[in-house]
Amino acid sequence: MINDCTGVILAGGRSTRYGGRNKALAPFGEGRLMDAVLRPMTEIFGEKILIVSRETGLYGDFGFPVVADVLPVPGAATGIHAGLFHAKTDTVFVVACDMPFIRPELIRLVLSHMHPPLLALFPCHGKNHLEPLCAAYHRDGLPVLESHILEGKSKVQWIFTNEKKGLVPESLLREADEDLQSFININSPEDARKAREALMMFP
Ligand SMILES: Nc1nc2c(ncn2[C@@H]2O[C@H](COP(=O)(O)OP(=O)(O)OP(=O)(O)O)[C@@H](O)[C@H]2O)c(=O)[nH]1
């Protein structure tokens, strides 16, 4: 178990592409989509997990603290900001509530490369495709994150300067997760249907 880091699950989205029904609570496997994300996260972080949302009343029955966004700008970046703001550790590992195939090995790999002076560390695969919603962040990045969000910039992967930003290359990622399934995310009911099928074939 990793002690000096908090696992943060982003769950304050509007699920527009999911038809407006909260996808975090959608049935998935033997539980809900959120349960599928919580399982690998608890394997790594134990009790040290925060669920971050605009509304804090939605997730009380998952057994983890639910904390509220701090900035009034909707978006995943605001959730990351709130995770860093509320966490009691300097480092957080953030994952979206719609990434049910995230592998504990991948989380461990990313965190093993998170060292000063990095403020953010992103998995990188394909043609320079960064994964800001499955990444590690340091508390010292809060001010820069906050000012960019308030300026209306939401692409977290481009907020940090090159010296403060690290990338975990695809070759290393594949050692932890050969097919990079960790990065599959569920946006629509059709995505969920395909993922449930995959789950039945490869439980
Ligand atoms: N805390 C918090 N999380 C957010 C917010 N907006 C999005 N998220 C989360 O960020 C992750 C990625 O969100 P998206 O899939 O891009 O957006 P979404 O709102 O969930 O879905 P769409 O409305 O279909 O775009 C999901 O885990 C969301 O729950 C927000 O304002 N606050």
Side-chain angles (χ1 to χ4, degrees):
M1 195 126 40
I2 294 178
N3 281 321
D4 52 357
C5 180
T6 304
V8 168
I9 303 182
L10 304 177
R14 293 176 195 271
S15 301
T16 318
R17 286 165 288 175
Y18 205 80
R21 282 173 297 134
N22 187 350
K23 60 186 168 185
L25 303 177
F28 193 80
E30 306 205 328
R32 292 166 286 183
L33 195 53
M34 177 74 91
D35 292 303
V37 180
L38 274 168
R39 226 168 287 126
M41 288 290 273
T42 47
E43 206 173 299
I44 300 294
F45 301 109
E47 298 284 300
K48 214 174 267 172
I49 286 182
L50 294 177
I51 298 175
V52 188
S53 180
R54 278 174 302 131
E55 292 172 55
T56 53
L58 295 170
Y59 305 113
D61 58 335
F62 287 98
F64 291 93
V66 185
V67 294
D69 288 350
V70 178
L71 301 177
V73 184
T78 291
I80 296 169
H81 172 276
L84 276 171
F85 180 90
H86 292 288
K88 294 194 169 57
T89 55
D90 284 341
T91 305
V92 303
F93 182 88
V94 170
V95 67
C97 68
D98 60 6
M99 300 177 87
F101 298 115
I102 181 150
R103 299 277 298 263
E105 294 83 355
L106 186 118
I107 301 173
R108 223 175 262 126
L109 170 77
V110 172
L111 287 174
S112 72
H113 289 82
M114 182 66 176
H115 300 299
L118 297 181
L119 298 181
L121 178 60
F122 304 109
C124 176
H125 57 97
K127 288 188 181 158
N128 205 25
H129 183 85
L130 273 47
E131 296 280 356
L133 305 189
C134 181
Y137 297 88
H138 192 279
R139 180 191 296 280
D140 290 350
L142 261 175
V144 64
L145 197 51
E146 175 163 338
S147 58
H148 278 79
I149 292 170
L150 293 176
E151 279 169 23
K153 297 178 192 157
S154 59
K155 294 270 181 203
V156 183
Q157 57 272 49
W158 309 127
I159 284 177
F160 300 97
T161 59
N162 281 344
E163 314 82 72
K164 301 283 183 186
K165 176 172 82 182
L167 305 181
V168 185
E170 180 167 340
S171 54
L172 274 185
L173 296 171
R174 286 189 186 277
E175 283 177 19
D177 180 359
E178 202 180 336
D179 304 319
L180 302 185
Q181 296 208 349
S182 294
F183 306 127
I184 294 173
N185 75 314
I186 310 286
N187 286 317
S188 63
E190 178 62 8
D191 292 342
R193 190 188 59 74
K194 284 189 199 151
R196 282 189 202 102
E197 269 175 24
L199 204 61
M200 281 193 299
M201 278 192 281
F202 312 102

PDB file of all heavy atoms in Angstrom, residues 54-92:
ATOM      1  N   ARG A  54     -19.049  18.083  -7.604  1.00  0.00           N
ATOM      2  CA  ARG A  54     -19.719  19.378  -7.404  1.00  0.00           C
ATOM      3  C   ARG A  54     -20.723  19.244  -6.274  1.00  0.00           C
ATOM      4  O   ARG A  54     -20.856  20.100  -5.431  1.00  0.00           O
ATOM      5  CB  ARG A  54     -20.468  19.795  -8.682  1.00  0.00           C
ATOM      6  CG  ARG A  54     -19.593  20.449  -9.721  1.00  0.00           C
ATOM      7  CD  ARG A  54     -20.382  20.694 -10.978  1.00  0.00           C
ATOM      8  NE  ARG A  54     -20.932  19.456 -11.498  1.00  0.00           N
ATOM      9  CZ  ARG A  54     -22.188  19.290 -11.861  1.00  0.00           C
ATOM     10  NH1 ARG A  54     -23.052  20.266 -11.755  1.00  0.00           N
ATOM     11  NH2 ARG A  54     -22.597  18.125 -12.330  1.00  0.00           N
ATOM     12  N   GLU A  55     -21.482  18.141  -6.305  1.00  0.00           N
ATOM     13  CA  GLU A  55     -22.475  17.895  -5.256  1.00  0.00           C
ATOM     14  C   GLU A  55     -21.952  16.778  -4.369  1.00  0.00           C
ATOM     15  O   GLU A  55     -21.615  15.710  -4.871  1.00  0.00           O
ATOM     16  CB  GLU A  55     -23.780  17.392  -5.871  1.00  0.00           C
ATOM     17  CG  GLU A  55     -24.515  18.398  -6.688  1.00  0.00           C
ATOM     18  CD  GLU A  55     -25.678  17.733  -7.389  1.00  0.00           C
ATOM     19  OE1 GLU A  55     -26.506  17.105  -6.710  1.00  0.00           O
ATOM     20  OE2 GLU A  55     -25.726  17.818  -8.621  1.00  0.00           O
ATOM     21  N   THR A  56     -21.940  16.991  -3.077  1.00  0.00           N
ATOM     22  CA  THR A  56     -21.338  15.986  -2.202  1.00  0.00           C
ATOM     23  C   THR A  56     -22.355  14.959  -1.688  1.00  0.00           C
ATOM     24  O   THR A  56     -21.990  14.003  -1.036  1.00  0.00           O
ATOM     25  CB  THR A  56     -20.639  16.646  -0.993  1.00  0.00           C
ATOM     26  OG1 THR A  56     -21.580  17.504  -0.376  1.00  0.00           O
ATOM     27  CG2 THR A  56     -19.426  17.429  -1.421  1.00  0.00           C
ATOM     28  N   GLY A  57     -23.615  15.153  -2.023  1.00  0.00           N
ATOM     29  CA  GLY A  57     -24.633  14.263  -1.452  1.00  0.00           C
ATOM     30  C   GLY A  57     -24.836  12.958  -2.216  1.00  0.00           C
ATOM     31  O   GLY A  57     -25.601  12.098  -1.781  1.00  0.00           O
ATOM     32  N   LEU A  58     -24.128  12.800  -3.326  1.00  0.00           N
ATOM     33  CA  LEU A  58     -24.468  11.689  -4.223  1.00  0.00           C
ATOM     34  C   LEU A  58     -23.798  10.356  -3.886  1.00  0.00           C
ATOM     35  O   LEU A  58     -24.253   9.309  -4.307  1.00  0.00           O
ATOM     36  CB  LEU A  58     -24.056  12.056  -5.656  1.00  0.00           C
ATOM     37  CG  LEU A  58     -24.793  13.218  -6.304  1.00  0.00           C
ATOM     38  CD1 LEU A  58     -24.109  13.595  -7.614  1.00  0.00           C
ATOM     39  CD2 LEU A  58     -26.244  12.820  -6.546  1.00  0.00           C
ATOM     40  N   TYR A  59     -22.682  10.422  -3.180  1.00  0.00           N
ATOM     41  CA  TYR A  59     -21.839   9.228  -3.100  1.00  0.00           C
ATOM     42  C   TYR A  59     -21.601   8.727  -1.672  1.00  0.00           C
ATOM     43  O   TYR A  59     -20.632   8.009  -1.421  1.00  0.00           O
ATOM     44  CB  TYR A  59     -20.491   9.509  -3.786  1.00  0.00           C
ATOM     45  CG  TYR A  59     -20.624   9.991  -5.203  1.00  0.00           C
ATOM     46  CD1 TYR A  59     -20.267  11.288  -5.567  1.00  0.00           C
ATOM     47  CD2 TYR A  59     -21.127   9.146  -6.193  1.00  0.00           C
ATOM     48  CE1 TYR A  59     -20.396  11.741  -6.878  1.00  0.00           C
ATOM     49  CE2 TYR A  59     -21.261   9.593  -7.499  1.00  0.00           C
ATOM     50  CZ  TYR A  59     -20.892  10.883  -7.825  1.00  0.00           C
ATOM     51  OH  TYR A  59     -21.026  11.308  -9.113  1.00  0.00           O
ATOM     52  N   GLY A  60     -22.471   9.101  -0.752  1.00  0.00           N
ATOM     53  CA  GLY A  60     -22.278   8.772   0.663  1.00  0.00           C
ATOM     54  C   GLY A  60     -22.178   7.287   0.933  1.00  0.00           C
ATOM     55  O   GLY A  60     -21.465   6.869   1.841  1.00  0.00           O
ATOM     56  N   ASP A  61     -22.842   6.465   0.130  1.00  0.00           N
ATOM     57  CA  ASP A  61     -22.879   5.038   0.463  1.00  0.00           C
ATOM     58  C   ASP A  61     -21.678   4.247  -0.060  1.00  0.00           C
ATOM     59  O   ASP A  61     -21.649   3.027   0.045  1.00  0.00           O
ATOM     60  CB  ASP A  61     -24.198   4.406  -0.024  1.00  0.00           C
ATOM     61  CG  ASP A  61     -24.391   4.566  -1.505  1.00  0.00           C
ATOM     62  OD1 ASP A  61     -23.805   5.520  -2.073  1.00  0.00           O
ATOM     63  OD2 ASP A  61     -25.107   3.760  -2.116  1.00  0.00           O
ATOM     64  N   PHE A  62     -20.660   4.924  -0.612  1.00  0.00           N
ATOM     65  CA  PHE A  62     -19.466   4.178  -1.045  1.00  0.00           C
ATOM     66  C   PHE A  62     -18.453   4.013   0.090  1.00  0.00           C
ATOM     67  O   PHE A  62     -17.473   3.286  -0.049  1.00  0.00           O
ATOM     68  CB  PHE A  62     -18.813   4.859  -2.252  1.00  0.00           C
ATOM     69  CG  PHE A  62     -19.611   4.671  -3.513  1.00  0.00           C
ATOM     70  CD1 PHE A  62     -20.477   5.659  -3.951  1.00  0.00           C
ATOM     71  CD2 PHE A  62     -19.527   3.496  -4.241  1.00  0.00           C
ATOM     72  CE1 PHE A  62     -21.223   5.487  -5.103  1.00  0.00           C
ATOM     73  CE2 PHE A  62     -20.270   3.312  -5.400  1.00  0.00           C
ATOM     74  CZ  PHE A  62     -21.127   4.311  -5.823  1.00  0.00           C
ATOM     75  N   GLY A  63     -18.666   4.715   1.188  1.00  0.00           N
ATOM     76  CA  GLY A  63     -17.805   4.512   2.366  1.00  0.00           C
ATOM     77  C   GLY A  63     -16.513   5.301   2.348  1.00  0.00           C
ATOM     78  O   GLY A  63     -15.605   5.011   3.126  1.00  0.00           O
ATOM     79  N   PHE A  64     -16.411   6.297   1.476  1.00  0.00           N
ATOM     80  CA  PHE A  64     -15.210   7.147   1.439  1.00  0.00           C
ATOM     81  C   PHE A  64     -15.631   8.610   1.535  1.00  0.00           C
ATOM     82  O   PHE A  64     -16.757   8.951   1.161  1.00  0.00           O
ATOM     83  CB  PHE A  64     -14.429   6.912   0.133  1.00  0.00           C
ATOM     84  CG  PHE A  64     -13.807   5.552   0.079  1.00  0.00           C
ATOM     85  CD1 PHE A  64     -14.484   4.499  -0.516  1.00  0.00           C
ATOM     86  CD2 PHE A  64     -12.578   5.319   0.668  1.00  0.00           C
ATOM     87  CE1 PHE A  64     -13.931   3.228  -0.534  1.00  0.00           C
ATOM     88  CE2 PHE A  64     -12.018   4.053   0.660  1.00  0.00           C
ATOM     89  CZ  PHE A  64     -12.695   3.006   0.053  1.00  0.00           C
ATOM     90  N   PRO A  65     -14.725   9.472   2.030  1.00  0.00           N
ATOM     91  CA  PRO A  65     -15.085  10.890   2.114  1.00  0.00           C
ATOM     92  C   PRO A  65     -15.410  11.461   0.729  1.00  0.00           C
ATOM     93  O   PRO A  65     -14.742  11.125  -0.258  1.00  0.00           O
ATOM     94  CB  PRO A  65     -13.815  11.553   2.669  1.00  0.00           C
ATOM     95  CG  PRO A  65     -12.988  10.464   3.217  1.00  0.00           C
ATOM     96  CD  PRO A  65     -13.366   9.206   2.514  1.00  0.00           C
ATOM     97  N   VAL A  66     -16.434  12.299   0.711  1.00  0.00           N
ATOM     98  CA  VAL A  66     -16.782  12.995  -0.535  1.00  0.00           C
ATOM     99  C   VAL A  66     -16.520  14.474  -0.289  1.00  0.00           C
ATOM    100  O   VAL A  66     -17.037  15.040   0.674  1.00  0.00           O
ATOM    101  CB  VAL A  66     -18.266  12.782  -0.889  1.00  0.00           C
ATOM    102  CG1 VAL A  66     -18.578  13.399  -2.251  1.00  0.00           C
ATOM    103  CG2 VAL A  66     -18.613  11.292  -0.883  1.00  0.00           C
ATOM    104  N   VAL A  67     -15.686  15.074  -1.125  1.00  0.00           N
ATOM    105  CA  VAL A  67     -15.343  16.487  -0.921  1.00  0.00           C
ATOM    106  C   VAL A  67     -15.794  17.292  -2.135  1.00  0.00           C
ATOM    107  O   VAL A  67     -15.940  16.762  -3.242  1.00  0.00           O
ATOM    108  CB  VAL A  67     -13.826  16.676  -0.670  1.00  0.00           C
ATOM    109  CG1 VAL A  67     -13.415  16.035   0.639  1.00  0.00           C
ATOM    110  CG2 VAL A  67     -13.002  16.115  -1.828  1.00  0.00           C
ATOM    111  N   ALA A  68     -15.999  18.590  -1.882  1.00  0.00           N
ATOM    112  CA  ALA A  68     -16.610  19.428  -2.919  1.00  0.00           C
ATOM    113  C   ALA A  68     -15.574  20.204  -3.726  1.00  0.00           C
ATOM    114  O   ALA A  68     -14.512  20.571  -3.211  1.00  0.00           O
ATOM    115  CB  ALA A  68     -17.561  20.412  -2.253  1.00  0.00           C
ATOM    116  N   ASP A  69     -15.927  20.479  -4.978  1.00  0.00           N
ATOM    117  CA  ASP A  69     -15.108  21.375  -5.792  1.00  0.00           C
ATOM    118  C   ASP A  69     -14.983  22.711  -5.082  1.00  0.00           C
ATOM    119  O   ASP A  69     -15.900  23.144  -4.373  1.00  0.00           O
ATOM    120  CB  ASP A  69     -15.790  21.604  -7.154  1.00  0.00           C
ATOM    121  CG  ASP A  69     -15.721  20.365  -8.034  1.00  0.00           C
ATOM    122  OD1 ASP A  69     -15.013  19.416  -7.682  1.00  0.00           O
ATOM    123  OD2 ASP A  69     -16.394  20.362  -9.089  1.00  0.00           O
ATOM    124  N   VAL A  70     -13.851  23.367  -5.319  1.00  0.00           N
ATOM    125  CA  VAL A  70     -13.598  24.653  -4.668  1.00  0.00           C
ATOM    126  C   VAL A  70     -13.865  25.800  -5.646  1.00  0.00           C
ATOM    127  O   VAL A  70     -14.424  26.825  -5.286  1.00  0.00           O
ATOM    128  CB  VAL A  70     -12.121  24.700  -4.187  1.00  0.00           C
ATOM    129  CG1 VAL A  70     -11.794  26.031  -3.543  1.00  0.00           C
ATOM    130  CG2 VAL A  70     -11.840  23.538  -3.227  1.00  0.00           C
ATOM    131  N   LEU A  71     -13.468  25.603  -6.893  1.00  0.00           N
ATOM    132  CA  LEU A  71     -13.610  26.677  -7.885  1.00  0.00           C
ATOM    133  C   LEU A  71     -14.969  26.556  -8.578  1.00  0.00           C
ATOM    134  O   LEU A  71     -15.480  25.451  -8.782  1.00  0.00           O
ATOM    135  CB  LEU A  71     -12.477  26.585  -8.916  1.00  0.00           C
ATOM    136  CG  LEU A  71     -11.065  26.680  -8.339  1.00  0.00           C
ATOM    137  CD1 LEU A  71     -10.021  26.496  -9.429  1.00  0.00           C
ATOM    138  CD2 LEU A  71     -10.883  28.030  -7.646  1.00  0.00           C
ATOM    139  N   PRO A  72     -15.530  27.694  -8.993  1.00  0.00           N
ATOM    140  CA  PRO A  72     -16.889  27.669  -9.542  1.00  0.00           C
ATOM    141  C   PRO A  72     -16.941  27.347 -11.038  1.00  0.00           C
ATOM    142  O   PRO A  72     -17.927  27.671 -11.697  1.00  0.00           O
ATOM    143  CB  PRO A  72     -17.361  29.109  -9.296  1.00  0.00           C
ATOM    144  CG  PRO A  72     -16.110  29.912  -9.361  1.00  0.00           C
ATOM    145  CD  PRO A  72     -14.996  29.062  -8.867  1.00  0.00           C
ATOM    146  N   VAL A  73     -15.876  26.761 -11.570  1.00  0.00           N
ATOM    147  CA  VAL A  73     -15.819  26.491 -13.012  1.00  0.00           C
ATOM    148  C   VAL A  73     -15.993  24.988 -13.234  1.00  0.00           C
ATOM    149  O   VAL A  73     -15.146  24.213 -12.788  1.00  0.00           O
ATOM    150  CB  VAL A  73     -14.447  26.925 -13.581  1.00  0.00           C
ATOM    151  CG1 VAL A  73     -14.391  26.742 -15.080  1.00  0.00           C
ATOM    152  CG2 VAL A  73     -14.119  28.351 -13.181  1.00  0.00           C
ATOM    153  N   PRO A  74     -17.061  24.543 -13.882  1.00  0.00           N
ATOM    154  CA  PRO A  74     -17.215  23.102 -14.040  1.00  0.00           C
ATOM    155  C   PRO A  74     -16.130  22.506 -14.932  1.00  0.00           C
ATOM    156  O   PRO A  74     -15.649  23.176 -15.847  1.00  0.00           O
ATOM    157  CB  PRO A  74     -18.596  22.942 -14.703  1.00  0.00           C
ATOM    158  CG  PRO A  74     -19.096  24.297 -15.015  1.00  0.00           C
ATOM    159  CD  PRO A  74     -18.126  25.311 -14.522  1.00  0.00           C
ATOM    160  N   GLY A  75     -15.751  21.274 -14.659  1.00  0.00           N
ATOM    161  CA  GLY A  75     -14.770  20.595 -15.499  1.00  0.00           C
ATOM    162  C   GLY A  75     -13.846  19.725 -14.675  1.00  0.00           C
ATOM    163  O   GLY A  75     -13.700  19.923 -13.460  1.00  0.00           O
ATOM    164  N   ALA A  76     -13.224  18.765 -15.353  1.00  0.00           N
ATOM    165  CA  ALA A  76     -12.348  17.819 -14.661  1.00  0.00           C
ATOM    166  C   ALA A  76     -11.185  18.538 -13.972  1.00  0.00           C
ATOM    167  O   ALA A  76     -10.751  18.136 -12.886  1.00  0.00           O
ATOM    168  CB  ALA A  76     -11.834  16.785 -15.656  1.00  0.00           C
ATOM    169  N   ALA A  77     -10.673  19.615 -14.593  1.00  0.00           N
ATOM    170  CA  ALA A  77      -9.538  20.336 -13.987  1.00  0.00           C
ATOM    171  C   ALA A  77      -9.922  20.860 -12.608  1.00  0.00           C
ATOM    172  O   ALA A  77      -9.116  20.834 -11.660  1.00  0.00           O
ATOM    173  CB  ALA A  77      -9.105  21.495 -14.893  1.00  0.00           C
ATOM    174  N   THR A  78     -11.148  21.311 -12.476  1.00  0.00           N
ATOM    175  CA  THR A  78     -11.637  21.809 -11.180  1.00  0.00           C
ATOM    176  C   THR A  78     -11.695  20.668 -10.165  1.00  0.00           C
ATOM    177  O   THR A  78     -11.419  20.864  -8.977  1.00  0.00           O
ATOM    178  CB  THR A  78     -13.023  22.465 -11.376  1.00  0.00           C
ATOM    179  OG1 THR A  78     -12.818  23.671 -12.118  1.00  0.00           O
ATOM    180  CG2 THR A  78     -13.708  22.791 -10.055  1.00  0.00           C
ATOM    181  N   GLY A  79     -12.029  19.472 -10.619  1.00  0.00           N
ATOM    182  CA  GLY A  79     -12.016  18.303  -9.734  1.00  0.00           C
ATOM    183  C   GLY A  79     -10.604  17.969  -9.277  1.00  0.00           C
ATOM    184  O   GLY A  79     -10.375  17.657  -8.100  1.00  0.00           O
ATOM    185  N   ILE A  80      -9.636  18.055 -10.182  1.00  0.00           N
ATOM    186  CA  ILE A  80      -8.232  17.785  -9.827  1.00  0.00           C
ATOM    187  C   ILE A  80      -7.774  18.816  -8.790  1.00  0.00           C
ATOM    188  O   ILE A  80      -7.152  18.486  -7.778  1.00  0.00           O
ATOM    189  CB  ILE A  80      -7.331  17.836 -11.086  1.00  0.00           C
ATOM    190  CG1 ILE A  80      -7.730  16.730 -12.057  1.00  0.00           C
ATOM    191  CG2 ILE A  80      -5.859  17.738 -10.697  1.00  0.00           C
ATOM    192  CD1 ILE A  80      -7.101  16.855 -13.439  1.00  0.00           C
ATOM    193  N   HIS A  81      -8.109  20.066  -9.056  1.00  0.00           N
ATOM    194  CA  HIS A  81      -7.767  21.146  -8.121  1.00  0.00           C
ATOM    195  C   HIS A  81      -8.335  20.840  -6.733  1.00  0.00           C
ATOM    196  O   HIS A  81      -7.634  20.935  -5.720  1.00  0.00           O
ATOM    197  CB  HIS A  81      -8.326  22.468  -8.670  1.00  0.00           C
ATOM    198  CG  HIS A  81      -8.199  23.611  -7.725  1.00  0.00           C
ATOM    199  ND1 HIS A  81      -9.116  23.860  -6.725  1.00  0.00           N
ATOM    200  CD2 HIS A  81      -7.233  24.561  -7.578  1.00  0.00           C
ATOM    201  CE1 HIS A  81      -8.734  24.912  -6.032  1.00  0.00           C
ATOM    202  NE2 HIS A  81      -7.601  25.356  -6.528  1.00  0.00           N
ATOM    203  N   ALA A  82      -9.596  20.442  -6.667  1.00  0.00           N
ATOM    204  CA  ALA A  82     -10.235  20.175  -5.376  1.00  0.00           C
ATOM    205  C   ALA A  82      -9.587  18.975  -4.681  1.00  0.00           C
ATOM    206  O   ALA A  82      -9.423  18.973  -3.461  1.00  0.00           O
ATOM    207  CB  ALA A  82     -11.733  19.938  -5.571  1.00  0.00           C
ATOM    208  N   GLY A  83      -9.201  17.972  -5.456  1.00  0.00           N
ATOM    209  CA  GLY A  83      -8.531  16.807  -4.874  1.00  0.00           C
ATOM    210  C   GLY A  83      -7.239  17.225  -4.188  1.00  0.00           C
ATOM    211  O   GLY A  83      -6.971  16.855  -3.040  1.00  0.00           O
ATOM    212  N   LEU A  84      -6.435  18.056  -4.885  1.00  0.00           N
ATOM    213  CA  LEU A  84      -5.177  18.533  -4.303  1.00  0.00           C
ATOM    214  C   LEU A  84      -5.443  19.418  -3.094  1.00  0.00           C
ATOM    215  O   LEU A  84      -4.725  19.377  -2.092  1.00  0.00           O
ATOM    216  CB  LEU A  84      -4.402  19.359  -5.352  1.00  0.00           C
ATOM    217  CG  LEU A  84      -3.549  18.582  -6.342  1.00  0.00           C
ATOM    218  CD1 LEU A  84      -3.044  19.518  -7.436  1.00  0.00           C
ATOM    219  CD2 LEU A  84      -2.364  17.924  -5.638  1.00  0.00           C
ATOM    220  N   PHE A  85      -6.476  20.215  -3.196  1.00  0.00           N
ATOM    221  CA  PHE A  85      -6.822  21.158  -2.116  1.00  0.00           C
ATOM    222  C   PHE A  85      -7.210  20.410  -0.833  1.00  0.00           C
ATOM    223  O   PHE A  85      -6.783  20.770   0.261  1.00  0.00           O
ATOM    224  CB  PHE A  85      -7.985  22.034  -2.593  1.00  0.00           C
ATOM    225  CG  PHE A  85      -8.439  23.053  -1.592  1.00  0.00           C
ATOM    226  CD1 PHE A  85      -7.872  24.326  -1.562  1.00  0.00           C
ATOM    227  CD2 PHE A  85      -9.436  22.753  -0.669  1.00  0.00           C
ATOM    228  CE1 PHE A  85      -8.291  25.267  -0.635  1.00  0.00           C
ATOM    229  CE2 PHE A  85      -9.853  23.686   0.269  1.00  0.00           C
ATOM    230  CZ  PHE A  85      -9.285  24.948   0.287  1.00  0.00           C
ATOM    231  N   HIS A  86      -8.016  19.372  -0.962  1.00  0.00           N
ATOM    232  CA  HIS A  86      -8.537  18.687   0.221  1.00  0.00           C
ATOM    233  C   HIS A  86      -7.604  17.583   0.753  1.00  0.00           C
ATOM    234  O   HIS A  86      -7.728  17.196   1.914  1.00  0.00           O
ATOM    235  CB  HIS A  86      -9.895  18.041  -0.090  1.00  0.00           C
ATOM    236  CG  HIS A  86     -10.999  19.041  -0.325  1.00  0.00           C
ATOM    237  ND1 HIS A  86     -11.556  19.779   0.690  1.00  0.00           N
ATOM    238  CD2 HIS A  86     -11.654  19.416  -1.445  1.00  0.00           C
ATOM    239  CE1 HIS A  86     -12.514  20.559   0.200  1.00  0.00           C
ATOM    240  NE2 HIS A  86     -12.589  20.364  -1.100  1.00  0.00           N
ATOM    241  N   ALA A  87      -6.725  17.052  -0.100  1.00  0.00           N
ATOM    242  CA  ALA A  87      -5.897  15.915   0.323  1.00  0.00           C
ATOM    243  C   ALA A  87      -4.940  16.325   1.447  1.00  0.00           C
ATOM    244  O   ALA A  87      -4.474  17.474   1.495  1.00  0.00           O
ATOM    245  CB  ALA A  87      -5.105  15.380  -0.861  1.00  0.00           C
ATOM    246  N   LYS A  88      -4.636  15.378   2.310  1.00  0.00           N
ATOM    247  CA  LYS A  88      -3.691  15.670   3.397  1.00  0.00           C
ATOM    248  C   LYS A  88      -2.282  15.233   3.020  1.00  0.00           C
ATOM    249  O   LYS A  88      -1.375  15.299   3.844  1.00  0.00           O
ATOM    250  CB  LYS A  88      -4.152  14.983   4.680  1.00  0.00           C
ATOM    251  CG  LYS A  88      -5.463  15.575   5.176  1.00  0.00           C
ATOM    252  CD  LYS A  88      -5.770  15.160   6.607  1.00  0.00           C
ATOM    253  CE  LYS A  88      -6.921  15.952   7.186  1.00  0.00           C
ATOM    254  NZ  LYS A  88      -8.168  15.868   6.427  1.00  0.00           N
ATOM    255  N   THR A  89      -2.103  14.722   1.832  1.00  0.00           N
ATOM    256  CA  THR A  89      -0.765  14.351   1.352  1.00  0.00           C
ATOM    257  C   THR A  89      -0.337  15.357   0.282  1.00  0.00           C
ATOM    258  O   THR A  89      -1.186  16.014  -0.325  1.00  0.00           O
ATOM    259  CB  THR A  89      -0.804  12.946   0.725  1.00  0.00           C
ATOM    260  OG1 THR A  89      -1.810  12.929  -0.303  1.00  0.00           O
ATOM    261  CG2 THR A  89      -1.138  11.879   1.753  1.00  0.00           C
ATOM    262  N   ASP A  90       0.975  15.433   0.028  1.00  0.00           N
ATOM    263  CA  ASP A  90       1.466  16.369  -0.992  1.00  0.00           C
ATOM    264  C   ASP A  90       1.153  15.885  -2.398  1.00  0.00           C
ATOM    265  O   ASP A  90       1.007  16.666  -3.326  1.00  0.00           O
ATOM    266  CB  ASP A  90       2.988  16.532  -0.851  1.00  0.00           C
ATOM    267  CG  ASP A  90       3.343  17.413   0.328  1.00  0.00           C
ATOM    268  OD1 ASP A  90       2.460  18.157   0.797  1.00  0.00           O
ATOM    269  OD2 ASP A  90       4.496  17.334   0.799  1.00  0.00           O
ATOM    270  N   THR A  91       1.087  14.564  -2.555  1.00  0.00           N
ATOM    271  CA  THR A  91       0.868  14.012  -3.892  1.00  0.00           C
ATOM    272  C   THR A  91      -0.499  13.339  -3.951  1.00  0.00           C
ATOM    273  O   THR A  91      -0.926  12.708  -2.985  1.00  0.00           O
ATOM    274  CB  THR A  91       1.962  12.963  -4.202  1.00  0.00           C
ATOM    275  OG1 THR A  91       3.234  13.579  -4.032  1.00  0.00           O
ATOM    276  CG2 THR A  91       1.865  12.447  -5.625  1.00  0.00           C
ATOM    277  N   VAL A  92      -1.159  13.481  -5.089  1.00  0.00           N
ATOM    278  CA  VAL A  92      -2.403  12.734  -5.302  1.00  0.00           C
ATOM    279  C   VAL A  92      -2.296  11.972  -6.627  1.00  0.00           C
ATOM    280  O   VAL A  92      -1.584  12.385  -7.536  1.00  0.00           O
ATOM    281  CB  VAL A  92      -3.661  13.639  -5.344  1.00  0.00           C
ATOM    282  CG1 VAL A  92      -3.805  14.466  -4.076  1.00  0.00           C
ATOM    283  CG2 VAL A  92      -3.674  14.547  -6.576  1.00  0.00           C
TER     284      VAL A  92
END
